[in-house]
Structures are given as structure tokens and as C-alpha cells.
Amino acid sequence: MESAASVPENNGAKIVIKGVKKRFGPKVVLDGLDLAVPKGQSLVIIGGSGTGKSVTIKCVLGILKPDAGQILVDGEDTAKLRGNARDAYLRKFGMLFQGAALFDSMTVWENVAFGLIQGRGVGRKKARDIAFEKLTKVGLAADVGGLYPSELSGGMQKRVGLARAIAADPEIIFFDEPTTGLDPIMSDVINNLIVDTVRGTGTTTLSITHDLVSARKIADRIAMLYKGKIIWEGPTAEIDHSGNPYVDQFIHGRAEGPIKMEVKA
Amino acid sequence: MNFFTAVGRTTLELLKEIGRLSIFTADAVSSFVRPPIYWSLVLKQMMRIGFFSLPVVGLTAFFTGAVLALQIYIGTARYGAEQFVPTVVLIGILRELGPVIAGLMVAGRVSAAIAAELGTMRVTEQIDALTTLATRPVKYLVVPRLMAALVSMPLLVAVADAIGVMGGYVAATNNLGFTGSIYLNTTMNDLNSHDVMSGLIKAVVFGFLIALMGAYNGFHSKGGAQGVGAATTNAVVSASILILVANYILTNIFNMLNF
């Protein structure tokens, strides 16, 4: 993978997360997380299960409120957004969920068009055309558009989820475990689709995964999250020479090393 | 010491729950007057909450009215006051049993359905997905259900009232030897708008509680299948209890106002 990305400067970053803390009851999930996602680049957060990867994304979206710290998107503090300003803020985002999270009461094309019709007031006919165009883009035939999500395989659901995430051409896309639960070939198909649909469009993406193959393929930069903090961050090519024993243990998948599996939550 | 910890923890949990419910309710109700309102979803929910509850509400109302006539006959016959059966059945159905029976049946049917549907959407991240598609989940999911329940319940109760009174009529004429025309005449003469209205006002309140409990429990369900199951149970139990408590309070208020 190319590693043209340079060290991000805060003023050029699309998303800046500063000292964000979040805990649920006694369990500290994020413990002063600092991270900057450069504009137009793809940053992948890697880390074990339960290290707070999903919580990070939910904090940026405002689904969860951080206990402390600041999240800036385009230099704007997201904590103060209310009402219409928050609606406008959310229109910048698209997201592919781990389980696709398709609306099971709607057909595939209605799912893809949902954000256009409900969130952005696009006319139904126009939204339908865009939906079918995006479905083609993720390699689904037009006849899939009329099916319901329950009639699709996991890989196809992920594709529909991807089509829905890119439907409104958002400025920022989140990918939550895009390849989890897919076979290696389908994983590669999804990775390629992510790269194809996002590269060159100027879209900023933030992904979370523990699939290193996927991370290497879709990332410009990789950050490793451990115990609620970013312990390493750098260009994709440098991950093999990070000099960080935690990162080394993770990318080689060793049970022995500084990271101890916490059996008890 | 353990005892106090337990009491303290339970109290705090209860307060937290009340606070969360209050915020949720305020958010939902204030969304009533802020566009966008998804009218097509309101209509769809009215079909599901109102129309499809008709059979179960009608059946229960019929048999409740019938058994009410039989029991009131036993009581009144002791004093030779059988002629009051139609009137007492009428008031009993209109003021209490129509709204309460319909409320409990709809609570079982609709609170459960709402909690299970929203709960599943919560645990499969569909509610979060709404947020990422620039749609407010409370407006899209909760407001249409609340509105539909508010409108549907009085309509359902009006139907339940009519069918319940008819149940009393059928029992009285078939089993108790009443003459049909006399029974109907007495019923019509004693029909009073206050009795009808007090039942319908109760219906509106019950409708709100039913949809709110279903939506609140579904919205905040945790975990997987077990969490959704717990949310569904909580929704039905809390809606049923709140209906009975609200019914007692409302009846007291109506009595004080001589309504």
C-alpha cells in the first residue's frame, strides 16, 4: 500500500479527537483518546475486542456523549450542536455497520435511498435512481433492489450497507468492522469496494477493525487502540516496523506478549 | 450494612429510571409540534394499533358486558331491583370496563409489539443507523406510534362500549328474561354524554401510556434476544399497571369534578 500520508497537522484534519474519556459505570472504555483523521484520507483503528473502537465512532456521531474531552469536525466543536445544526452535522456522515443494520421492513432500494428521502428531502423518484446507481456501484444487479434484506446473504447485506453509506456522497464515512463475519474472498471483495468507492472522491474515512488484512488494504494510516488510548499511529507501511511491542503482538496475533487478554470485563 | 446498600442502590436505580423516562417523554411530546411529522407512518401505525386490535377488543368487550349483566342481576335481584341492570351495565361499561378492558388488551398486543420491534432495531443497530442517515429516531419511530395510539384508543373504546353494552343486552334477554325493547329503552334513556366522555378521556390517557411504555422499553433495550424479551415483558407489565393506576386517579378526579 502507498504510504504517501504524512504526519497529520491538526489544522488540516477533518476529525480531531482530543482527550476523550468515556466510561460505563466502573468500566473505563476511553481514557483520554487523542486522534486526528486527515482530510481525504483513510484512517483505520485497530485493536482487540472491547477496547472502545465502536465507542469512539459513536462519540463522534453524538450517539454517546463523552464524559470529558473534545471532538472537532471541520474545526467545529460537536458537543454544542443541537436541533437543526446537529441534523446538518449528521448529513456529513455515512456509516457501514458491522451487522449492516439494514431496515428489515424496507426493500433494498428503499434502504439505500432512505438517507436521501428522509434525511435530505430528495424526491422519491430521484432517490430511487440514485439508489440503483449506487447498487450497481457495489456490484449488485438491479433485481436485488426489490428484495428485502432478510432475503440476502451476509456479504450482499454488507454491500447494500455500503451502498446506503455512500448514497448521499457524504464527506465522512465510518466503517465498523467491514469484513467481520465474511469469508476471506468476500472480505477482499468488500475491501476492494471500499477502496474503489472512496479513493479519489476526497472522502475522509475512519474504519475500525481487527482484521489486519483489511486494515492494510484500506488504510492510509493505522492507529492502534489499547486500553482507551492510541498507543501507536502511523502510515500503513510502517506498521511492520513500529518498534512497539503491543503493535507487534497484535499484528502477528500472538497470545504471548505485553497485551494480556482480559477474561473478566 | 448490606441491606442499606441494597436499598440505596435500588432507590438510585429507580430515580435514574424515572429521570430517563421523563427525558424520553419530554423529547417525544415536544417532537409532536416540531416538523417533520411522518404522517404516512402515523396512518400505518393507526392501522396496526387501532384497526387490527378491533377483533380482540370487540370479543373481550362482548363477554365482559355479558358477564357484567349476569353478576349485576344477582346483586340487584336480592333487593328486587332487577330493572337497574341495563343502567348499571351501561355505566360500568362506559366509565370503567370499556376503557380498562380495551386498554389492557391493547397493552398486551401493542406495547409488546412496539417494544419487540424497537428493541430488535436497537440491538441490531438499526436505530443508530437512522441517526447516521440524518433522521431522528424519536421522530421517526416514537412520535408516529404515540400519535396513532392517542387517536386509535378512543375510537377503539367507542367500539368496545357499543359491543360491551350489546353483550349485556344479549345476556339479559337470553339468560335473565329481559324484554329486548325495554332493555334498549332503559339503556337509551340513561345514556349520558358525561359517561361516554369520561371513558373516552381515559382511553386517550391509556393510549399514551401503552405507546410510551412500548417505545421506551424497546428504545432502551440492551443485549440480544434476552434483552428484547425483557423489554417486551417490561413494556406489557408497566403499561398494564400504569393503566390501572391512572384509571383509579382519573375516576377520582372525575368524581371530584362531578363529571
Side-chain angles (χ1 to χ4, degrees):
Chain A
M1 286 287 97
E2 67 247 73
S3 61
S6 57
V7 178
E9 292 165 33
N10 269 9
N11 51 18
K14 187 84 176 165
I15 306 172
V16 179
I17 302 171
K18 280 189 206 163
V20 164
K21 293 186 180 180
K22 178 75 192 172
R23 49 182 216 139
F24 296 102
K27 189 172 161 54
V28 176
V29 179
L30 298 181
D31 188 18
L33 181 87
D34 291 300
L35 188 66
V37 188
K39 190 170 183 182
Q41 290 200 22
S42 167
L43 185 124
V44 173
I45 303 178
I46 57 171
S49 313
T51 47
K53 302 191 299 291
S54 298
V55 173
T56 308
I57 281 186
K58 285 184 178 167
C59 283
V60 177
L61 285 170
I63 293 172
L64 293 172
K65 298 258 173 289
D67 300 327
Q70 222 183 4
I71 296 169
L72 304 169
V73 172
D74 290 328
E76 194 179 15
D77 188 350
T78 60
K80 297 183 182 100
L81 296 172
R82 296 277 181 281
N84 293 336
R86 192 171 135 70
D87 290 346
Y89 169 71
L90 285 171
R91 282 188 211 112
K92 290 180 183 177
F93 295 94
M95 177 155 173
L96 172 60
F97 285 84
Q98 189 175 346
L102 301 175
F103 304 124
D104 39 35
S105 59
M106 294 173 206
T107 60
V108 163
W109 82 260
E110 285 172 322
N111 263 284
V112 178
F114 188 92
L116 297 165
I117 297 172
Q118 305 295 354
R120 290 163 185 84
V122 177
R124 207 173 154 79
K125 200 178 165 302
K126 192 173 170 217
R128 192 173 191 271
D129 293 342
I130 298 175
F132 277 96
E133 179 203 317
K134 301 290 177 186
L135 284 172
T136 315
K137 214 167 175 179
V138 297
L140 291 174
D143 56 342
V144 175
L147 299 176
Y148 282 90
S150 57
E151 299 171 276
L152 306 179
S153 69
M156 284 169 94
Q157 289 188 1
K158 274 272 162 74
R159 290 188 193 213
V160 176
L162 179 60
R164 186 174 70 176
I166 61 171
D169 298 320
E171 298 167 33
I172 302 166
I173 306 182
F174 293 142
F175 297 102
D176 183 358
E177 308 268 4
T179 56
T180 300
L182 302 178
D183 67 67
I185 297 168
M186 185 55 85
S187 295
D188 200 47
V189 169
I190 295 289
N191 288 334
N192 284 337
L193 283 172
I194 289 174
V195 173
D196 293 347
T197 48
V198 172
R199 281 269 158 83
T201 57
T203 313
T204 308
T205 69
L206 177 61
S207 317
I208 53 186
T209 187
H210 49 240
D211 174 357
L212 261 296
V213 179
S214 171
R216 286 174 200 272
K217 190 141 193 174
I218 64 179
D220 293 319
R221 300 180 70 82
I222 295 180
M224 173 145 173
L225 186 62
Y226 179 66
K227 290 207 164 165
K229 285 192 178 89
I230 298 294
I231 55 164
W232 183 83
E233 202 252 333
T236 307
E238 285 173 24
I239 186 133
D240 293 311
H241 326 285
S242 65
N244 184 313
Y246 292 87
V247 175
D248 280 342
Q249 185 193 349
F250 191 83
I251 63 174
H252 294 113
R254 295 193 204 101
E256 290 80 29
I259 304 175
K260 299 278 177 269
M261 276 296 138
E262 287 185 46
V263 180
K264 192 168 167 288
Chain B
M1 194 57 203
N2 252 341
F3 172 75
F4 291 108
T5 330
V7 171
R9 188 166 295 148
T10 315
T11 314
L12 285 179
E13 279 301 312
L14 185 71
L15 288 175
K16 209 167 90 182
E17 193 71 17
I18 292 173
R20 218 162 51 149
L21 176 61
S22 308
I23 293 169
F24 184 80
T25 311
D27 190 10
V29 172
S30 66
S31 297
F32 273 37
V33 289
R34 281 182 288 153
I37 307 260
Y38 300 99
W39 293 112
S40 63
L41 292 180
V42 177
L43 280 178
K44 191 172 150 196
Q45 290 302 328
M46 280 178 68
M47 283 297 283
R48 290 172 64 178
I49 296 173
F51 186 72
F52 291 118
S53 296
L54 272 173
V56 64
V57 167
L59 273 171
T60 45
F62 179 86
F63 288 107
T64 307
V67 87
L68 190 63
L70 297 180
Q71 295 287 16
I72 289 167
Y73 180 81
I74 295 175
T76 50
R78 287 181 192 161
Y79 305 98
E82 301 92 331
Q83 73 270 26
F84 292 119
V85 168
T87 312
V88 181
V89 167
L90 181 70
I91 293 176
I93 291 286
L94 292 186
R95 281 187 172 263
E96 294 297 332
L97 290 171
V100 170
I101 294 287
L104 292 178
M105 294 315 290
V106 177
R109 225 186 75 86
V110 172
S111 287
I114 294 178
E117 191 179 0
L118 298 195
T120 306
M121 289 187 76
R122 166 62 73 199
V123 301
T124 56
E125 296 192 299
Q126 291 181 49
I127 293 184
D128 291 341
L130 279 175
T131 307
T132 68
L133 295 166
T135 304
R136 293 190 212 173
V138 168
K139 275 189 183 293
Y140 190 79
L141 296 174
V142 180
V143 172
R145 285 169 172 79
L146 272 174
M147 282 188 168
L150 284 176
V151 178
S152 302
M153 266 307 280
L155 297 175
L156 270 176
V157 167
V159 175
D161 285 349
I163 295 178
V165 170
M166 187 183 85
Y169 167 84
V170 169
T173 50
N174 277 341
N175 306 97
L176 305 173
F178 275 80
T179 312
S181 57
I182 295 176
Y183 191 100
L184 282 183
N185 255 330
T186 320
T187 302
M188 288 312 288
N189 284 339
D190 287 337
L191 190 63
N192 167 324
S193 66
H194 279 194
D195 296 338
V196 178
M197 280 312 294
S198 80
L200 296 186
I201 292 170
K202 284 180 175 180
V204 175
V205 175
F206 297 169
F208 182 75
L209 293 173
I210 288 166
L212 183 70
M213 285 301 112
Y216 173 76
N217 284 292
F219 220 72
H220 293 99
S221 67
K222 288 192 191 75
Q226 204 180 5
V228 176
T232 309
T233 310
N234 285 342
V236 177
V237 171
S238 56
S240 306
I241 292 173
L242 285 176
I243 283 173
L244 295 174
V245 173
N247 183 52
Y248 175 70
I249 296 172
L250 286 171
T251 302
N252 262 324
I253 293 175
F254 292 146
N255 279 354
M256 278 195 300
L257 299 173
N258 276 327
F259 188 75

